[in-house]
């Protein structure tokens, strides 16, 4: 988007949409995920919300700061620490949520 080159934007958007769709299909087919609000509880929901808000705020704040400084491609550069946060924080978040769910009475003896 920041390049302003139409064909780059079009190819990038199509590639992103196809890639995201393929990943979602693969995960849904393999994992057979079932959402059970009784297991995750309010604490789990708040944990997910806080994780999301921190990453969004970091990305937006850094992007605006880089733009104000006149750095080229500020949004592209601002997303890098967000990607690192997802890559390293995501598994930690899932581990925390797993412990939280297993500690609830509905989780059983697993």
């Amino acid at each position: 988007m920041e390049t302003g080159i139409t064909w780059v934007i079009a190819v990038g958007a199509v590639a992103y949409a196809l890639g995201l769709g393929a990943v979602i299909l693969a995960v849904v087919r393999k994992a057979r995920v079932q959402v059970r609000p009784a297991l995750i509880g309010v604490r789990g929901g708040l944990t997910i919300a806080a994780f999301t808000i921190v990453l969004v705020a970091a990305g937006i704040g850094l992007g605006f700061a880089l733009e104000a400084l006149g750095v080229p491609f500020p949004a592209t550069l601002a997303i890098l620490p967000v990607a690192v946060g997802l890559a390293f924080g995501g598994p930690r978040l899932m581990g925390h949520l797993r412990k939280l769910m297993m500690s609830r009475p509905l989780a059983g003896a697993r």
Side-chain angles (χ1 to χ4, degrees):
M1 189 68 185
E2 293 173 323
T3 65
I5 302 170
T6 306
W7 73 267
V8 172
I9 296 169
V11 170
V14 170
Y16 176 80
L18 291 174
L20 182 62
V23 169
I24 290 171
L25 280 174
V27 169
V28 167
R29 284 184 179 172
K30 184 176 180 179
R32 297 183 206 153
V33 176
Q34 292 181 357
V35 177
R36 295 191 178 155
L39 281 178
I40 200 158
V42 174
R43 279 184 55 203
L46 291 174
T47 302
I48 294 167
F51 181 75
T52 304
I53 289 168
V54 166
L55 289 178
V56 168
I60 291 173
L62 183 58
F64 281 138
L66 292 173
E67 184 176 20
L69 293 171
V71 175
F73 306 113
T76 303
L77 294 174
I79 201 66
L80 295 176
V82 175
V84 170
L86 282 171
F88 291 105
R92 292 187 71 198
L93 172 66
M94 291 306 297
H96 172 74
L97 292 173
R98 190 173 293 112
K99 284 184 208 172
L100 184 66
M101 288 187 288
M102 295 304 287
S103 71
R104 296 178 63 83
L106 253 145
R110 289 193 250 170

